[in-house]
Amino acid sequence: MLAIKKQALASASRVLFRTGVLSGLATGAARAYHSKLYKSSDEAIEGVKSGNTLLIGGFGLCGIPENLLKAIARRKDIQQLTAVSNNAGTADYGLGTLLQSRQIKRMVSSYVGENKEFSRQYLGGELEVELLPQGTIAERVRSGGAGIPAFYTLTGVGTQVETGGIPIKYNKEGEVVIASEPRETKVFNGRKYLMEEGIVGDFALVKAWKGDELGNLVFKYAASNFNAPMATAGKITIAEVEEIVPVGELKPNEIHISGIHVHRILKGETYEKRIEKLTLRRSAEEESELPEAMKQRIHIIKRAAREFQDGMYVNLGIGMPVLASNYIDPSITVHLQSENGILGMGPFPTAEEVDADLVNAGKESVTVLPGGTCFSSDVSFGMIRGNRLDMTILGGMQVSSRGDLSNWMVPRKM
């Protein structure tokens, strides 16, 4: 006996017939297919309810499902949500609007960023925040989508990620009332690893550049980021796209996410596509007029850039390190990797080159050099975790003359 999901038993009005859509394949016969197309974001979020866990794609404001988030914000009856997202965007846009409307109970994130409302609610005891390493979130979501209940990783070993005790929720007096739990550990080949569990959401809200009525998705540049793994890990995945194309127009080798993962798709009503940190290339004359503090930062990063050697693959952390892309010796080739999904990152763009789908790990506008590639966040951290890089340039609160790096958590501060 065949078990047929309810979704496949949709009304006949949602089953469309197209002729000739497979003309480029071996069989040119007409094909009947079930359309997953929804008319609006309000219709597409049908079934989302209070207490659900939402996986939300995007990186900062790059590639966020703008219209679906607005639709959730309009539904004030939807409360007590758990939102899994790299961060919460800004206070007045993207996921930040759901914080403003007090619809989120818990955030599972790696970075608070510049969202002051996020920080205020967390420190004020109004919001639960589970902070995790960014690559760990990416892999936990990827694993959840792949049916892997847990995995072991080096990331977090020897820190409070392993031992537990990271504040998840404060009360109004500033006391920790919920803290992270210790992780199970195991030794492989003489090294200790800790266990992380896969994440599956009730709904995944993702955004792509193009899609068809079967749910096949194509991302543009760095907007793949967390969208790709999250699209696979929702019990129901809802995708909004900038353009709906006819079935068959997307070539099989162009598709980034197969429609098997996507249950609902819609053409987004409107797109602002804000850039969180619009950053343009400076001329030598413009640099000479910068404040003295910025000149010192540039001096430091120019020195760091002298460590590059021909052919290196290098990851740049946020802050000062990302400036290194502008000061590479033109006589050598260095492949710069940005953790949000770029390899072959170039310098900051001119005004004409700016693209909202191209930002670096610091959420600044960037370019991609010829031969560069873009991919999802889980693939990016697989490169890092798999020791594919020759060098990483990091920023820190303190660095000793021996290269010891120090970062820390200040109680009740972000």
Side-chain angles (χ1 to χ4, degrees):
M1 180 180 290
L2 295 177
I4 304 176
K5 290 187 176 181
K6 290 182 180 179
Q7 184 177 328
L9 299 176
S11 63
S13 62
R14 299 191 70 83
V15 180
L16 307 181
F17 291 85
R18 298 287 185 267
T19 57
V21 295
L22 302 181
S23 58
L25 302 179
T27 171
R31 175 184 176 185
Y33 59 86
H34 172 71
S35 174
K36 301 176 182 179
L37 184 64
Y38 279 67
K39 295 178 181 178
S40 68
S41 52
D42 290 315
E43 181 187 34
I45 65 165
E46 178 186 352
V48 177
K49 61 184 180 181
S50 296
N52 279 167
T53 294
L54 306 184
L55 310 181
I56 300 170
F59 185 88
L61 298 182
C62 178
I64 61 171
E66 300 180 33
N67 296 283
L68 291 170
L69 290 172
K70 290 176 183 176
I72 297 288
R74 287 192 289 269
R75 289 282 306 277
K76 304 304 181 188
D77 59 308
I78 300 175
Q79 299 287 327
Q80 299 290 298
L81 295 169
T82 294
V84 182
S85 177
N86 180 57
N87 65 354
T90 59
D92 65 339
Y93 206 69
L95 189 52
T97 59
L98 299 187
L99 289 174
Q100 292 279 9
S101 60
R102 304 296 196 277
Q103 290 172 268
I104 296 177
K105 175 185 178 182
R106 175 178 287 211
M107 285 290 307
V108 180
S109 301
S110 72
Y111 182 61
V112 175
E114 286 70 43
N115 191 329
K116 293 182 179 180
E117 180 62 16
F118 190 169
S119 300
R120 190 199 67 75
Q121 288 189 25
Y122 173 49
L123 297 176
E126 301 172 25
L127 177 70
E128 297 175 12
V129 177
E130 188 176 350
L131 288 172
L132 297 170
Q134 187 178 158
T136 297
I137 292 182
E139 188 63 17
R140 286 183 67 178
V141 172
R142 189 204 70 80
S143 295
I148 299 171
F151 61 93
Y152 286 91
T153 177
L154 279 168
T155 307
V157 170
T159 73
Q160 277 193 296
V161 176
E162 175 191 341
T163 61
I166 299 175
I168 290 177
K169 191 175 192 298
Y170 295 99
N171 61 20
K172 292 184 178 179
E173 288 70 44
E175 300 167 327
V176 178
V177 292
I178 304 176
S180 64
E181 296 290 332
R183 298 293 198 271
E184 178 183 319
T185 63
K186 191 170 183 178
V187 175
F188 296 91
N189 299 318
R191 301 190 71 179
K192 183 164 68 171
Y193 292 73
L194 57 84
M195 190 181 79
E196 295 283 359
E197 296 183 8
I199 295 176
V200 175
D202 296 300
F203 288 84
L205 312 182
V206 301
K207 189 262 178 180
W209 179 33
K210 294 180 181 181
D212 61 26
E213 292 185 35
L214 292 177
N216 296 312
L217 303 178
V218 174
F219 301 108
K220 184 181 179 186
Y221 295 132
S224 176
N225 51 57
F226 277 86
N227 279 300
M230 288 182 172
T232 70
K235 295 176 183 176
I236 296 177
T237 293
I238 310 171
E240 62 170 82
V241 298
E242 295 180 42
E243 182 182 353
I244 295 286
V245 301
V247 172
E249 182 169 316
L250 299 177
K251 302 299 184 291
N253 59 331
E254 296 175 338
I255 294 168
H256 296 137
I257 292 293
S258 169
I260 194 171
H261 297 294
V262 178
H263 304 85
R264 305 173 187 177
I265 189 168
L266 70 142
K267 184 179 185 301
E269 289 90 342
T270 59
Y271 284 105
E272 260 189 78
K273 297 186 71 169
R274 293 188 191 179
I275 299 175
E276 201 162 338
K277 296 180 182 179
L278 178 61
T279 311
L280 301 178
R281 198 177 308 163
R282 300 188 187 99
S283 65
E285 181 179 353
E286 289 171 324
E287 283 195 1
S288 67
E289 298 173 354
L290 291 172
E292 192 60 34
M294 189 63 191
K295 288 181 182 178
Q296 290 178 4
R297 289 164 63 90
I298 292 174
H299 177 75
I300 292 170
I301 206 62
K302 281 183 175 179
R303 174 61 187 87
R306 291 173 61 186
E307 298 297 314
F308 294 148
Q309 296 178 20
D310 194 29
M312 272 188 168
Y313 289 88
V314 180
N315 171 267
L316 300 180
I318 64 172
M320 288 174 57
V322 297
L323 297 173
S325 62
N326 300 280
Y327 303 108
I328 297 174
D329 183 340
S331 67
I332 65 173
T333 298
V334 178
H335 309 279
L336 297 180
Q337 196 249 26
S338 185
E339 64 205 41
N340 58 309
I342 303 174
L343 183 63
M345 183 171 62
F348 294 136
T350 63
E352 295 74 25
E353 294 173 323
V354 170
D355 191 312
D357 293 316
L358 261 180
V359 300
N360 61 23
K363 304 174 187 69
E364 300 165 310
S365 46
V366 291
T367 57
V368 175
L369 299 175
T373 58
C374 295
F375 33 83
S376 59
S377 296
D378 57 314
V379 171
S380 179
F381 279 94
M383 295 175 183
I384 297 169
R385 202 182 296 111
N387 293 319
R388 297 295 184 262
L389 300 174
D390 299 299
M391 178 192 296
T392 295
I393 300 182
L394 296 174
M397 291 184 176
Q398 287 184 326
V399 181
S400 75
S401 60
R402 298 184 306 170
D404 302 311
L405 182 67
S406 177
N407 285 314
W408 62 86
M409 294 176 65
V410 180
R412 300 216 67 202
K413 289 187 180 295
M414 301 296 288

